[in-house]
Amino acid sequence: GGKDAPGYRVGGILKQRWLEKVCNTIPAVLVVCFDWSQDLSLDPTATAQVVAQLQHAQRQARDREIRLLVLAVLHASATDAEALCGPIRQQLEGTSGALIVAQGLTDLGSKAQKLERLVYQSAMSFYADEERRQKSWKPSTAGLSVADQGAMQVRVSVKVGFLSEFRKDTRGALTSYIP
């Protein structure tokens, strides 16, 4: 951000853009859905397209350290879910991404609870990591007045407190707001 640029001037405690970005712009979790409920099998072209779409989603998620979840809805009569979802599993290996597989639309209701739980856990993990990132940031004192250094520290404390509130961590929020 601009705070690392030489000659940066602190323009207030918290920028409105940061709140807007955290609340409305940057998701904590990206859920990618593949609907194969009408297809018993996938041809190689469709598989390649799925892998390309998943790689694109992974690049987007990696840039902001967003959590990635994949929901695949297979045909109710699909016999080899592992084979159908193999390319997705391979793509998710070594990442924090997760795959949820539903066998047909009737199975989707039971998988929705698992998806909801994973979205919640992933979001809480994302905000905890954001909180740690904010806490670890140390302002460069070069070129900043003592008042600006204090304002930057207050800004960090408010951001950490706000992220703690997102996670419903009242104690963490209070210790950030009242040092």
Side-chain angles (χ1 to χ4, degrees):
K3 62 189 173 200
D4 297 322
Y8 177 75
R9 181 151 160 37
V10 178
I13 299 300
L14 195 62
K15 296 179 181 178
Q16 180 180 355
R17 175 76 179 115
W18 184 82
L19 282 173
E20 180 184 318
K21 187 170 67 171
V22 169
C23 295
N24 301 322
T25 307
I26 299 174
V29 181
L30 178 62
V31 180
V32 178
C33 300
F34 295 109
D35 181 5
W36 298 315
S37 59
Q38 303 301 315
D39 306 316
L40 271 172
S41 63
L42 294 176
D43 62 65
T45 305
T47 302
Q49 187 178 23
V50 164
V51 169
Q53 289 171 342
L54 191 52
Q55 287 172 340
H56 177 71
Q58 285 176 310
R59 280 191 301 274
Q60 289 178 324
R62 189 174 24 248
D63 289 345
R64 290 295 303 177
E65 298 177 11
I66 297 168
R67 306 313 188 257
L68 178 67
L69 302 176
V70 178
L71 172 65
V73 182
L74 305 180
H75 191 280
S77 301
T79 55
D80 195 3
E82 279 300 315
L84 283 172
C85 295
I88 295 175
R89 286 194 196 285
Q90 286 177 338
Q91 203 58 43
L92 292 174
E93 277 182 14
T95 69
S96 61
L99 172 64
I100 299 106
V101 179
Q103 289 279 145
L105 296 176
T106 55
D107 188 31
L108 197 54
S110 66
K111 300 300 181 180
Q113 290 178 344
K114 180 177 181 180
L115 180 62
E116 180 183 12
R117 189 182 77 250
L118 283 172
V119 167
Y120 178 79
Q121 290 171 345
S122 298
M124 293 302 105
S125 172
F126 173 82
Y127 289 118
D129 288 349
E130 277 293 298
E131 190 178 320
R132 273 190 290 283
R133 189 176 67 78
Q134 290 293 332
K135 283 180 181 178
S136 68
W137 182 79
K138 300 292 183 228
S140 170
T141 56
L144 287 179
S145 69
V146 173
D148 283 347
Q149 290 175 28
M152 292 297 282
Q153 192 58 47
V154 169
R155 181 181 290 176
V156 168
S157 295
V158 168
K159 286 180 177 182
V160 169
F162 186 79
L163 291 167
S164 295
E165 286 185 49
F166 254 48
R167 294 185 311 106
K168 298 180 181 177
D169 177 12
T170 306
R171 183 182 176 112
L174 288 173
T175 57
S176 293
Y177 293 142
I178 308 169

